[in-house]
Amino acid sequence: MASKLPQLQSKASQSSEFLIKNGSAYIKQLLEDNKQHIKDPPNIETCQLLAKQLFYTRLASIPNRVDAFWKELDGLKQFLKNRELEMNLDNAGLAALFGVECFAWFCGGEIFGRGFTITGYHV
């Protein structure tokens, strides 16, 4: 592992040199390709206006989201009432797969939270 460190450092320095030389050209090309998304004039006031519009647009979408949540909850209640009629191997497999996926995300979050160690927390 220690022998790989100088190689990694040289690759990092090469990458940073490349970015220093070509970074501005890349940014200019990126801005040119996406100029239809740029709001004129590109200044602080425009950014603040867009941020405020985004905030209030998301705030206005809350009632629709709440309605969608209650519809989903009603559908879940209906499924749980009629589960003896509709529970077959496909639904059971889907529920098991969902449970395994939730557990995998939990384990991944725990490993990430511990600083990518599997054995335990650093105390």
Side-chain angles (χ1 to χ4, degrees):
M1 183 70 180
S3 64
K4 299 279 184 183
L5 188 60
Q7 183 182 8
L8 183 64
Q9 287 175 337
S10 70
K11 290 284 186 184
S13 67
Q14 288 173 0
S15 299
S16 64
E17 288 173 8
F18 178 79
L19 283 175
I20 289 170
K21 289 179 185 176
N22 302 323
S24 63
Y26 173 74
I27 290 173
K28 287 178 185 176
Q29 182 64 37
L30 186 66
L31 289 174
E32 183 64 32
D33 291 344
N34 295 299
K35 65 182 174 185
Q36 73 271 12
H37 301 296
I38 297 173
K39 184 79 172 176
D40 285 325
N43 55 21
I44 297 293
E45 289 81 17
T46 305
C47 292
Q48 289 173 342
L49 175 66
L50 289 172
K52 190 178 281 191
Q53 288 174 345
L54 176 64
F55 174 75
Y56 285 109
T57 301
R58 290 204 173 158
L59 192 63
S61 72
I62 289 176
N64 295 336
R65 293 179 187 184
V66 170
D67 292 341
F69 169 76
W70 287 115
K71 286 179 185 176
E72 288 289 329
L73 190 62
D74 290 339
L76 179 64
K77 286 179 185 177
Q78 284 299 102
F79 174 74
L80 291 176
K81 283 182 183 176
N82 300 329
R83 69 176 173 209
E84 63 273 349
L85 301 176
E86 294 182 19
M87 185 57 82
N88 54 20
L89 190 58
D90 291 340
N91 288 341
L94 187 62
L97 184 64
F98 178 73
V100 168
E101 183 182 358
C102 287
F103 182 71
W105 278 108
F106 169 76
C107 290
E110 282 289 313
I111 292 170
F112 177 76
R114 287 188 291 237
F116 298 103
T117 61
I118 299 174
T119 56
Y121 292 97
H122 299 293
V123 180

